[in-house]
Amino acid sequence: MNIAVAGTGYVGLSIATLLAQHNHVTAVDIIPEKVEMINRRVSPIQDEYIEKFFSERNLDLTATLDAAKAYSNADFVVIAAPTNYDRARDFFDTSAVEEVIRTVKRHNPNAIMVIKSTIPVGFTAAIRKKLQTGNILFSPEFLRESKALYDNLYPSRIIVGRPDGDERLDKAARTFAGLLQQGAEKKDIPTLIMGLTEAEAVKLFANTYLALRVSYF
């Protein structure tokens, strides 16, 4: 399977490393230094397990600045672009995610895009309509900084959202969930395939619950 990953932060690089155990993965970034480090198998972020996998595992992973080339041959494009929250505007900046979708649509309209970035509830359905593309899924991540790859290897659950009633995308969602299961070291991972908005809400509720716990203590 050919997979492109847009973004090499904690989410993107951990997913790229996980999937590169069994698939050809191309990581895309706009920072030349990060691309060069990944190709030398030096992690640009602090993560013990990524560093360990880079030094010990035979990963089919390359990094590039050429997004068009990476996306053009991909079966799946995992979008892990930043969506920083602007407190003053009470708004997630989804411009980077939207730009990736536009680029993928331009160079490989048949690729299945899987958004891993944190987005507001309702975004996936809205962007599918806005950009006139049906090939978008949403799969929330539940990762900790510095423990991102570990949390992908031993996930509490795998969730993939797809439009209800779309048999083609339901199959794609189950295929992507299978890729995550294949790369993980934990067995019998609870896996849920659900609607797009429902999957987005799960991520929001999980973040809110963690924030409430912190506030309480």
Side-chain angles (χ1 to χ4, degrees), residues 118 138 140-143 198-208:
T118 299
F138 175 71
E141 50 78 20
F142 307 99
L143 310 178
E198 185 181 6
E200 293 167 341
V202 168
K203 172 63 175 173
L204 174 65
F205 295 162
N207 284 1
T208 303

Side-chain angles (χ1 to χ4, degrees), residues 119-194:
I119 53 175
V121 173
F123 173 82
T124 309
I127 203 64
R128 282 162 53 90
K129 184 176 181 180
K130 176 181 177 181
L131 299 184
Q132 294 297 297
T133 177
N135 291 343
I136 304 177
L137 308 174
F138 175 71
S139 179
E141 50 78 20
F142 307 99
L143 310 178
R144 297 166 293 172
E145 289 189 9
S146 302
K147 296 286 187 181
L149 181 53
Y150 178 89
D151 289 339
N152 272 308
L153 293 168
Y154 301 94
S156 58
R157 69 278 207 201
I158 292 173
I159 294 173
V160 184
R162 84 291 185 251
D164 292 320
D166 190 319
E167 185 176 339
R168 180 179 64 90
L169 288 184
D170 183 78
K171 182 179 179 181
R174 295 179 189 281
T175 298
F176 184 73
L179 295 175
L180 298 180
Q181 294 168 343
Q182 181 186 43
E185 296 190 356
K186 180 180 177 180
K187 303 304 178 185
D188 301 320
I189 305 163
T191 301
L192 299 171
I193 307 298
M194 59 181 65

Side-chain angles (χ1 to χ4, degrees), residues 85-126:
Y85 183 71
D86 187 335
R87 292 183 180 277
R89 299 172 61 197
D90 192 25
F91 177 76
F92 282 99
D93 181 1
T94 59
S95 58
V97 173
E98 294 184 34
E99 181 56 33
V100 173
I101 295 171
R102 288 190 178 93
T103 305
V104 174
K105 184 181 176 184
R106 187 161 56 247
H107 295 282
N108 186 0
N110 295 320
I112 300 296
M113 292 169 270
V114 183
I115 298 175
K116 276 283 184 181
S117 305
T118 299
I119 53 175
V121 173
F123 173 82
T124 309

Side-chain angles (χ1 to χ4, degrees), residues 10-11 24-25 35 42 45-46 50 52 60 77 83 102 106 113-114 119 154 156 163 170 176 189 199 210 214:
Y10 281 103
V11 176
H24 175 64
V25 178
V35 168
V42 177
I45 59 176
Q46 183 180 352
I50 291 178
K52 181 181 177 67
D60 189 357
V77 177
T83 53
R102 288 190 178 93
R106 187 161 56 247
M113 292 169 270
V114 183
I119 53 175
Y154 301 94
S156 58
D170 183 78
F176 184 73
I189 305 163
L210 292 173
V214 171

